[in-house]
Amino acid sequence: MNPPPPPPSQISNIEPRKSGGLSLISVASYVFNYQLVGKPFLAYQRHQDERKLKALKQKPQQLLAPPLVRTARMKEMMSRHYLQARYANGVRKVAWVTSGAPVEILQALGFVLIYPENHAALCGARKKAEEICTEAENAGYSRDLCSYARTDLGTLLSGKTIVGRLPRPDLLLCCNNICQTVHLWYRVLASRMKVPLVLIDTPFLYEPAQPHQIEFVKRQIEEMIPVAERVAGKSLSMARLKEVARYSKDAAELWLEILNRGRQKPSPITAFDGFTNMGPIVDLRGEAETVEFYRSLLEEIDERIAAGIPAVKGEKYRVLWDNLPIWYRMGWLSKTLGKQGINLVASDYTYAWGELAPMMDVEKPLDTAARVYLHPILNRSTGDKLRSMKRMVKDFDLHGVILHSDRSCKPYSLGQIDQRDRLTKDLGLAAVLLEADHNDPRAFSEEQALGRIEAFAEMLH
Amino acid sequence: MAVDSTGAIVGSRLETALPRIEDQTSDLLDAMAASLHFEVASIPVVATGYGRKLVRRASRQVTEITCHARGVFELLKHEGTLVDVGGQDSKVIVIGPQGRVIDFTMNDKCAAGTGRFLEHTAARLGVNLEEIGPRALGAPREEAITSTCTVFAESEIISLLAHNVEIGPILKGLHRSLVSRVSAMVRAVGIRPPLMLSGGVARNDAFRVMLGDTLEQPVQLPDEPQLMGAFGAALLGLSFSAVGAGFSLRE
Ligand code: SF4
């Protein structure tokens, strides 16, 4: 007999875990560790960090402008988020989600959200990813697998993390609008942790989305709602969903405005400011505080502009960064480029979290979600990515492009050779391919990277 | 490599790099200074290549990409596409009208695309490095080497030898493997004719002939292709300094 066809909703393993009820011990631990001790401590730490950053601001600028003071607030928000998550099991429902998933619905239902990709990036930036990846490799996961997936699976298998502990999920939400890796990765999570998995399948866009494609995604989102409601134990309020969608849109708009400040000459920000401060737009979009944070970040950047402070002193060359950052080498890279008078004034990666803001219609949150989550840069053709890059070259008035050929992220790196070719031939830009990996330092060689960057700079001179 | 104040070559020395680059380059400089009668402190020194940052007495460091382009442009006197295959990496550099680097691509990740590949496998075959080119060229046929990795290619060769395959065809197959990797890089950047060759592997006739055939381009070779990076560095050093006040780079 043939097996029954898979349900159209792509929902597997629907039965939620039984052990999801409220537990008194958990509540007590949550209240004590997170609300009574953790939150005030993190606020105090932020205060200290702000003092240090303000003091740095008073000193005469060396090569690079000191970090933005608001970074301290971002750090507090992200730490608070992970701290709350750490004690969430037994108190609040937890979902693990991919970065490009329609999270507004889960947010409106009160889930605490964990983004394994962001968690992996934090581990990468703190130079812990290699060790964690090795745990996954020891369990048989190939080194060819994306280093985010390896970091996450490594954490799952060994408990190693820099955030204390990741909570067990009650629901997994995976949207394949960034790559197919996430699909297989989340299936592994679902089977290892015995949690329901919702997969939102987004057709790849070779041309602008057709109405039937939007309808296809929208229906999947509609089918996901009752599943999420069952796990959450409550029903979705449209009013709350619209509110969350409003915060998402406002934050994305502000983020876009922040990044567009890079068009100023000299630019008050670098792509590194973007990488450092993108945590909230990924992990905490849909929250009021995120909107507030980006508003204040924009203010600080505008103060920089007013005070005539450039991100890179003596900015000579304005360059675009393509692909994910190299999380474990951000400091080295920003100094190495800065010494050559190069400022990465823009990055298509950070831009991806803002460029879709105009598409969002908060009055129609479901249609909007379907449309927006179909359109991330990684779900569009390589030709379309090239057009976006060319637009950025014009808008930001750029001299060159660094294309990070990321060993892990195949969908982002595919097509880069042709994109590089077109950028140099059509626009006469200098462009260089830098081979590395966003999270796995074993794929990075400093001497070789330096050679390429310096040769690139000599080409610009 | 040393040049006089007009940019003419006055001396050069070639040594295999040792792990202690600082000491080795220091000794080299002293030996050059003694034989050419100059004071190291009084002349500009530009260091290039891997380890350029370790040359203590250099007044400046420039990447080998720019230096190779500059050296070859000075000698061959025209723009074009320069293929530089050295022991540690291989690069394709597009040189523009003024000798400037317009574009480049490089393989520095995999030994199979570099001179090391030939060196390593030649040693395995027990053939002297100088001989591998002529023997490959003289081979009546070619044995396909399918492994894309230096280490696996070595096992493949051992197995071919065990099956009594002659060395000539194996050598030719090895050259084919390197040539196809390098020509893929050239095609990726796009050829701006003519095609030029520098680096240690340029001295290998089989590589030069097979590369030209594959890319259907005549290949030009400067004298001393292995020293082009150092020559370019010397010229750049001159152009940066007061010593070279009467000198200007070719445009
Ligand atoms: S492969 Fe790329 S898009 Fe997919 S999870 Fe890894 S980094 Fe993200």
Side-chain angles (χ1 to χ4, degrees):
Chain A
M1 206 177 82
N2 287 334
S9 54
Q10 314 261 351
I11 294 163
S12 65
N13 202 1
I14 284 191
E15 213 39 56
R17 282 189 305 131
K18 298 276 185 299
S19 60
L22 219 60
S23 122
L24 259 183
I25 298 177
S26 307
V27 173
S29 152
Y30 179 85
V31 170
F32 179 77
N33 288 305
Y34 170 57
Q35 289 179 327
L36 293 179
V37 179
K39 269 165 77 169
F41 174 74
L42 290 173
Y44 168 76
Q45 207 172 38
R46 177 191 91 189
H47 188 67
Q48 298 291 92
D49 288 348
E50 277 175 352
R51 270 187 32 197
K52 276 187 217 147
L53 290 173
K54 279 184 187 151
L56 275 181
K57 222 168 136 180
Q58 302 310 321
K59 293 193 178 153
Q61 183 178 352
Q62 304 289 317
L63 181 61
L64 307 174
L68 292 152
V69 175
R70 298 296 195 283
T71 308
R73 173 139 181 228
M74 180 277 304
K75 226 175 96 190
E76 181 197 11
M77 287 165 68
M78 296 301 289
S79 308
R80 215 193 302 130
H81 169 65
Y82 278 102
L83 187 70
Q84 179 187 35
R86 183 175 173 173
Y87 296 103
N89 284 145
V91 183
R92 287 180 59 182
K93 295 296 174 186
V94 176
W96 285 20
V97 297
T98 56
S99 59
V103 289
E104 285 76 8
I105 289 154
L106 300 187
Q107 202 128 39
L109 281 167
F111 279 88
V112 169
L113 300 176
I114 287 291
Y115 291 73
E117 293 154 68
N118 171 268
H119 167 256
L122 291 177
C123 294
R126 296 270 289 275
K127 304 194 174 31
K128 187 86 177 158
E130 181 179 344
E131 184 190 335
I132 302 178
C133 284
T134 309
E135 295 284 351
E137 288 154 23
N138 290 347
Y141 293 100
S142 162
R143 242 173 107 162
D144 292 326
L145 189 62
C146 168
S147 50
Y148 275 170
R150 273 180 289 140
T151 309
D152 184 46
L153 295 169
T155 296
L156 183 70
L157 294 168
S158 68
K160 288 181 183 169
T161 165
I162 57 142
V163 300
R165 193 178 70 87
L166 285 182
R168 277 179 57 92
D170 300 286
L171 178 71
L172 295 165
L173 172 60
C174 170
C175 182
N176 62 1
N177 55 4
I178 46 174
C179 65
Q180 292 307 319
T181 300
V182 287
H183 175 196
L184 301 165
W185 167 7
Y186 273 63
R187 280 196 180 275
V188 171
L189 294 179
S191 82
R192 280 191 181 267
M193 294 192 281
K194 315 250 176 303
V195 207
L197 161 66
V198 176
L199 171 69
I200 307 286
D201 179 28
T202 48
F204 190 77
L205 300 184
Y206 293 96
E207 16 183 79
Q210 302 297 309
H212 70 271
Q213 292 175 312
I214 297 173
E215 188 57 29
F216 176 65
V217 176
K218 187 180 161 195
R219 278 215 226 145
Q220 294 179 70
I221 296 175
E222 283 168 352
E223 285 178 22
M224 149 193 156
I225 294 173
V227 180
E229 284 177 333
R230 270 172 69 189
V231 176
K234 61 168 144 172
S235 35
L236 180 69
S237 135
M238 248 320 144
R240 173 73 183 127
L241 180 60
K242 283 184 184 172
E243 187 186 20
V244 169
R246 156 65 54 204
Y247 292 141
S248 268
K249 182 177 169 71
D250 287 353
E253 275 174 349
L254 282 162
W255 180 241
L256 191 62
E257 220 174 316
I258 287 172
L259 298 179
N260 278 335
R261 290 295 193 267
R263 297 179 187 203
Q264 301 268 342
K265 289 184 185 171
S267 167
I269 50 167
T270 75
F272 297 102
D273 291 312
F275 297 144
T276 309
N277 287 295
M278 70 186 289
I281 193 66
V282 181
D283 278 36
L284 308 173
R285 61 181 189 270
E287 292 191 10
E289 192 184 6
T290 304
V291 178
E292 205 26 63
F293 165 67
Y294 284 122
R295 193 165 287 137
S296 70
L297 187 66
L298 184 61
E299 264 169 34
E300 188 181 352
I301 293 167
D302 284 340
E303 283 163 21
R304 258 196 191 179
I305 297 175
I309 300 170
V312 173
K313 206 167 164 184
E315 170 189 297
K316 269 202 283 199
Y317 308 110
R318 302 163 58 78
V319 169
L320 173 71
W321 177 270
D322 172 52
N323 213 328
L324 277 81
I326 302 174
W327 289 115
Y328 47 90
R329 276 313 179 104
M330 298 241 288
W332 177 84
L333 202 56
S334 60
K335 273 190 218 114
T336 304
L337 293 169
K339 272 189 215 150
Q340 304 283 350
I342 296 175
N343 185 4
L344 294 182
V345 296
S347 125
D348 50 21
Y349 178 64
T350 48
Y351 220 64
W353 300 97
E355 64 175 350
L356 303 180
M359 251 185 212
M360 300 175 181
D361 176 353
V362 289
E363 287 310 314
K364 295 186 191 148
L366 295 185
D367 289 277
T368 287
R371 188 179 293 275
V372 166
Y373 289 109
L374 252 172
H375 279 90
I377 188 165
L378 290 181
N379 205 44
R380 307 196 307 254
S381 69
T382 51
D384 200 71
K385 181 182 155 202
L386 174 65
R387 282 188 287 280
S388 301
M389 290 168 93
K390 283 186 167 176
R391 252 194 320 273
M392 291 181 85
V393 167
K394 208 170 123 254
D395 293 346
F396 286 80
D397 200 5
L398 303 177
H399 301 100
V401 182
I402 298 180
L403 300 103
H404 167 205
S405 170
D406 183 345
R407 194 173 184 284
S408 270
C409 191
K410 284 82 178 170
Y412 219 134
S413 309
L414 191 80
Q416 275 179 322
I417 293 192
D418 293 317
Q419 284 151 4
R420 199 194 79 92
D421 195 50
R422 296 294 11 128
L423 290 165
T424 50
K425 304 228 162 86
D426 298 352
L427 305 181
L429 292 183
V432 70
L433 214 61
L434 199 66
E435 282 155 356
D437 188 284
H438 61 263
N439 234 30
D440 188 343
R442 290 167 293 182
F444 177 83
S445 153
E446 182 173 310
E447 186 67 22
Q448 293 174 345
L450 187 67
R452 290 190 193 203
I453 292 171
E454 289 188 348
F456 172 68
E458 285 162 9
M459 222 154 61
L460 289 169
H461 288 327
Chain B
M1 168 84 67
V3 295
D4 65 16
S5 60
T6 67
I9 299 174
V10 291
S12 69
R13 287 179 91 97
L14 189 62
E15 279 184 16
T16 307
L18 301 174
R20 297 219 161 274
I21 290 178
E22 293 191 25
D23 298 340
Q24 189 184 11
T25 51
S26 209
D27 294 346
L28 258 174
L29 266 175
D30 288 335
M32 286 271 266
S35 67
L36 298 172
H37 311 293
F38 64 79
E39 286 280 326
V40 177
S42 65
I43 56 149
V45 175
V46 171
T48 187
Y50 289 93
R52 62 187 175 281
K53 299 265 168 352
L54 297 174
V55 181
R56 258 193 315 260
R57 289 147 91 177
S59 37
R60 212 148 166 165
Q61 285 92 12
V62 181
T63 64
E64 63 271 36
I65 307 241
T66 301
C67 289
H68 268 271
R70 176 47 63 189
V72 168
F73 184 76
E74 201 66 28
L75 282 186
L76 299 182
K77 304 184 175 50
H78 52 66
E79 56 186 283
T81 306
L82 173 65
V83 176
D84 169 68
V85 185
Q88 202 160 346
D89 64 21
S90 47
K91 351 182 200 327
V92 178
I93 305 167
V94 182
I95 305 177
Q98 277 106 35
R100 290 178 56 91
V101 175
I102 296 184
D103 199 0
F104 71 90
T105 185
M106 62 197 297
N107 159 33
D108 51 16
K109 294 284 171 218
C110 168
T114 72
R116 189 60 46 88
F117 178 65
L118 291 180
E119 231 171 74
H120 195 81
T121 36
R124 253 291 161 209
L125 289 165
V127 183
N128 196 318
L129 203 55
E130 270 68 54
E131 272 175 54
I132 56 169
R135 285 188 73 170
L137 263 188
R141 45 181 205 89
E142 187 175 321
E143 197 62 49
I145 307 289
T146 51
S147 301
T148 50
C149 155
T150 307
V151 178
F152 291 158
E154 190 181 321
S155 334
E156 203 174 332
I157 288 165
I158 293 173
S159 133
L160 287 169
L161 290 176
H163 285 88
N164 291 326
V165 178
E166 294 156 78
I167 288 188
I170 299 180
L171 279 172
K172 194 161 189 179
L174 280 173
H175 280 77
R176 177 73 59 207
S177 162
L178 180 61
V179 162
S180 54
R181 278 172 172 266
V182 173
S183 26
M185 275 168 57
V186 177
R187 292 197 181 104
V189 185
I191 298 190
R192 173 189 285 236
L195 196 60
M196 302 173 281
L197 204 55
S198 70
V201 178
R203 288 176 19 216
N204 176 322
D205 285 344
F207 179 78
R208 182 171 47 81
V209 170
M210 287 167 77
L211 184 73
D213 289 350
T214 307
L215 293 171
E216 297 174 334
Q217 294 278 333
V219 180
Q220 299 186 3
L221 204 64
D223 294 337
E224 309 256 31
Q226 212 167 348
L227 293 175
M228 280 309 99
F231 179 46
L235 294 176
L236 289 168
L238 198 57
S239 75
F240 296 149
S241 78
V243 184
F247 168 83
S248 63
L249 291 171
R250 182 181 300 281
E251 295 217 341

